[in-house]
Every structure is written in C-alpha cells, then in structure tokens.
Amino acid sequence: MNIDTQAVQTGLEWDTRTGALSIPIYQSATFRHPGLGQSTGFDYSRSGNPTRLALEQGIARMDGGSRGFAFSSGMAAITSLLLLFQEGDHLVVTEDLYGGTCRLFDRIFTRFGLSFSYVDTTDREEVLAAITPSTKALFVETLTNPLLKFADIPALSTICHERGLLLIADNTFLTPYLLRPLERGADITVYSATKYLSGHNDTVAGLAVVRDPQLAEQVYFHQNSAGAVLGPQDSWLVIRGMKTLGVRLDRQQENALKIARWLQRHPQVTRVHYPGLEEHPDHDLIRRHARGFGAMIAFEVESHSLVEQLLLRTQLISFAESLGGVETLMTFPEGQTHADIPPELRARLGINDVLLRLSVGIENVDDLIDDLNQAFNKRETTV
Ligand SMILES: *Cc1c(COP(=O)(O)O)cnc(C)c1O
C-alpha cells in the first residue's frame, strides 16, 4: 500500500462496537482490569492509550519500522532517544542542526557526561574523522534547517553499521511521504510532528519510529519511564492532520518551486536555497533518494533593512516560527530559530542577518507571490 493511502487508514475502524470511522479520543488516565493479573492491553495512559497507540501504529507503518512512539513534542522525542546512551558516550551530529536540538545536546546532555561533535554530515571524510572509540551514534537531519543540505542515509548507514553505531535521522523536513530513512539503513527516525505530519499549526507533538524490535523495547522502556507522552486529544489531532499529508505536500512543493524561481529572478534577492532548483548542490542526490524536495526555502536579500521590511509587511504570509503547516510562514533564523547556535558556527553555516526562511503553505501561489511582491515594493516613506 502506498504511504498516502496508509496515512488515510490511520486509526480507521478501531471502534468495532459502534463502528465509528474516526478513532475516539480515549480521554482516560486509567483502565479497569477485567480480573486479577489481567489487562485489556491498556492499564494506565502513560504506559499506553488507545488513541496514542493508533497514531504510533500508523506512523510505524508509514515509516516501515517495527514500532512507533508518540511524545509530547519533537524535543521530548529526541530527549527520550538520548536516554538510550550513558555517561562517556559520544555522538557525531549534523552541524547545520535545529537550534533546539543543539541546545538540548550542549547545555543539558553534556551535564550528564555525553559529548557531541558537530560535522558536515554530507562530507564522508569529516564524519569518519569525528568517530572515536566512545562514539555510539550518528544523529543527522535528513534535510537540514535552514540551509537544506541532504544527508546521504545509505552512505552514512554503511559507516555506522561497519562500526556498530546507531544511525538516528530527524526526518521532520521530508516526512515519510518523501523519504523513508529506515528502508535505507537508518535505525531510528524522529519527527517534530508539530510540523508537516500534523500540518495545521494547531498542536505540538513528537514521533519516533524504530526498525529493530529489541531496540524498540528499549525505547518503550524510556518512553514509559520518563513519561513525556502525547495526550489523547493531541494524538487525535496528529492522526487527523496526517491523513492529508500527501495532498498537502504535493501542493506545498509545487508552490515552493514556483516561489523559489520567482525569488531567483528578483533583483533584491541575492541567493536562494531550495533543493528543487537544479543549481542546489544536493539536487541530484535528493532526486535519486527521495520522492520530492520539500517545501522549505531559505533566501538572502540585499540588506538587513529589507529583512525587517519583508517580515513586517507581508500580509498573507505570517512572521512566525515553526513550519510545515498549511499556512505560509516566514522567519529570520539568525534571530529566531537559530539564536541558540554559537555565533561562530552560525557564521560558518551561512546563517546571517540577511537570511530569511519560508515555510510554504497550500494557499494559491499567485496570492503568495503578490504578497511577497508588495512587501518588497513598499518604501519606508510610503508608510
Ligand atoms: C521543530 C523541530 C524540532 C523540535 O520539535 P518540537 O515539536 O518543536 O519540540 C526538532 N527537529 C526539527 C528539524 C524541527 O524543525
């Protein structure tokens, strides 16, 4: 079955007693035991809840893994995965990383004796050079944020599996609709389901999927022990959002390519990063491995004053953090999403004071382009 069909199937016909097509929101903390030493399969909602389980089974199927896990946020999912490691362990990490993940690793997990090396994971030699005898895992983003570099999962998985390292892939920007890292050798995928999977900017959620059943047992142990689980209401919202993942992304990608081409031609735009453009360095690699290029664009404008002008004067496009929803959002990575990345690293990555990031939504693309156009055109004096 294709993944867009699988997405629609999530949670269907769970309730055979009433025949409810949409899974009920099982807003219950606890479940009555049928007898001593017996269970309905549900005992207490931290350990398992039917609405959450439907979501966990749905994402596991879509991602081709043995088991899925739903957490209260993307960061809670990543935190729970990091609990697999112990004092002294070292991880090699994509340098062009989501700011919140970088903050979690450097300011919290280093206090518990983990260490991290940040490298350009598109460069095999850099990855190999960073591996030490204490390295236990490689943590990558499949498409990075905000500069949209692609991780070659098959090549990285060869490196990992020859050395017994886990390969953990944050696949938030591509989703299983565009790339299924577990099929290409990753061990664990992790998602901020806040973004494309739920898709409506209405809930915060995280998901993880594990390939190997024994490793999945360990992840379950940590999910249940640390307890950062997703509630039933939010699980239902993610299921509802996920059903339209395929149609949303098809439209978002089509819009993104048109906007990227329009930006390329604009005289006040100096640089456009969008992997769907042939000149993007990872265009061919992504074409070979993934089903699409996603709908995130980063672009540089000719001056910092233009950054402010665009953020404040676009009307349809909201100046807001986050991404992946049906609404088009624009943000300023240096001051917002990547403020927690050390300034030297930001400079090396090309995150500067003229870089903007667009998360392209499903609106009519002509309206989006008109909105950008009027925001570029307005002069200070006309306010
Ligand atoms: C947003 C995001 C996260 C964090 O997820 P939350 O749901 O905000 O906790 C992690 N990784 C990436 C790539 C993200 O974009």
Side-chain angles (χ1 to χ4, degrees):
M1 198 189 295
N2 285 294
I3 194 166
D4 29 4
T5 310
Q6 280 171 342
V8 178
Q9 293 290 313
T10 303
L12 280 195
E13 296 168 21
W14 179 279
D15 184 351
T16 49
R17 195 167 59 86
T18 68
L21 199 69
S22 160
I23 185 161
I25 299 168
Y26 287 87
Q27 194 66 55
S28 186
T30 189
F31 300 82
R32 199 186 295 160
H33 302 300
L36 198 61
Q38 292 176 13
S39 167
T40 60
F42 298 99
D43 303 307
Y44 183 62
S45 274
R46 170 162 41 73
S47 310
N49 173 282
T51 317
R52 192 178 92 219
L53 182 63
L55 170 61
E56 293 176 330
Q57 290 177 341
I59 190 69
R61 224 175 10 251
M62 286 163 67
D63 231 353
S66 68
R67 191 159 171 185
F69 301 92
F71 297 92
S72 52
S73 68
M75 292 322 304
I78 295 172
T79 301
S80 301
L81 295 178
L82 266 280
L83 299 178
L84 293 169
F85 302 101
Q86 350 202 353
E87 188 178 1
D89 287 351
H90 170 253
L91 282 84
V92 176
V93 184
T94 302
E95 60 178 1
D96 186 7
L97 194 70
Y98 174 69
T101 308
C102 186
R103 178 177 60 196
L104 174 73
F105 289 178
D106 282 358
R107 298 190 37 203
I108 299 182
F109 277 106
T110 51
R111 286 198 267 121
F112 295 88
L114 295 187
S115 62
F116 303 89
S117 295
Y118 295 90
V119 303
D120 179 352
T121 43
T122 62
D123 183 334
R124 184 187 149 81
E125 296 311 313
E126 264 198 50
V127 173
L128 288 174
I131 294 171
T132 72
S134 1
T135 306
K136 292 292 181 325
L138 189 56
F139 184 102
V140 301
E141 290 183 4
T142 52
L143 194 60
T144 66
N145 174 20
L147 294 178
L148 308 159
K149 287 192 196 163
F150 186 67
D152 185 344
I153 297 291
L156 294 171
S157 85
T158 306
I159 295 177
C160 286
H161 298 148
E162 281 169 5
R163 292 165 181 78
L165 314 180
L166 285 180
L167 178 56
I168 304 173
D170 181 335
N171 195 33
T172 298
F173 274 37
L174 288 172
T175 82
Y177 183 60
L178 302 179
L179 181 77
R180 307 212 309 167
L182 300 182
E183 278 181 349
R184 287 160 192 273
D187 298 290
I188 304 177
T189 47
V190 61
Y191 296 94
S192 170
T194 314
K195 319 288 170 55
Y196 289 100
L197 289 168
S198 68
H200 293 74
N201 290 318
D202 55 8
T203 183
V204 170
L207 294 170
V209 182
V210 182
R211 193 161 49 116
D212 172 64
Q214 271 175 322
L215 184 60
E217 273 306 312
Q218 289 180 41
V219 173
Y220 177 69
F221 172 79
H222 291 98
Q223 181 196 37
N224 186 38
S225 303
V229 293
L230 191 64
Q233 295 267 353
D234 294 288
S235 297
W236 189 89
L237 277 171
V238 179
I239 292 172
R240 210 268 285 268
M242 229 159 60
K243 289 174 190 275
T244 54
L245 178 69
V247 284
R248 281 187 282 111
L249 263 168
D250 287 347
R251 170 69 168 246
Q252 283 170 297
Q253 295 190 103
E254 192 184 311
N255 284 356
L257 184 61
K258 287 184 183 154
I259 292 173
R261 292 211 167 114
W262 182 83
L263 286 168
Q264 267 188 319
R265 288 193 302 270
H266 198 283
Q268 287 166 296
V269 174
T270 51
R271 198 159 172 198
V272 181
H273 304 271
Y274 179 63
L277 297 171
E278 275 99 35
E279 46 277 50
H280 186 279
D282 296 336
H283 177 83
D284 290 332
L285 193 61
I286 301 179
R287 179 175 291 273
R288 241 181 301 132
H289 290 292
R291 174 173 177 169
F293 301 98
M296 298 298 299
I297 300 173
F299 64 101
E300 288 181 16
V301 290
E302 64 184 15
S303 69
H304 183 63
S305 65
L306 202 49
V307 165
E308 196 169 356
Q309 178 176 326
L310 289 176
L311 289 172
L312 299 181
R313 292 184 181 173
T314 39
Q315 285 162 1
L316 267 180
I317 300 172
S318 301
F319 172 23
E321 293 194 33
S322 202
L323 60 109
V326 291
E327 300 89 0
T328 299
L329 307 181
M330 184 154 55
T331 189
F332 174 50
E334 185 187 62
Q336 306 270 319
T337 50
H338 290 66
D340 286 304
I341 304 263
E344 328 74 71
L345 182 57
R346 271 202 315 248
R348 185 151 60 84
L349 296 176
I351 300 168
N352 55 40
D353 71 348
V354 291
L355 184 80
L356 286 162
R357 185 186 80 182
L358 264 180
S359 167
V360 179
I362 65 165
E363 300 92 338
N364 184 296
V365 70
D366 295 333
D367 293 330
L368 294 173
I369 289 175
D370 284 349
D371 192 30
L372 284 168
N373 197 35
Q374 64 80 26
F376 269 111
N377 289 343
K378 273 188 184 165
R379 293 265 78 92
E380 288 307 328
T381 51
T382 62
V383 183

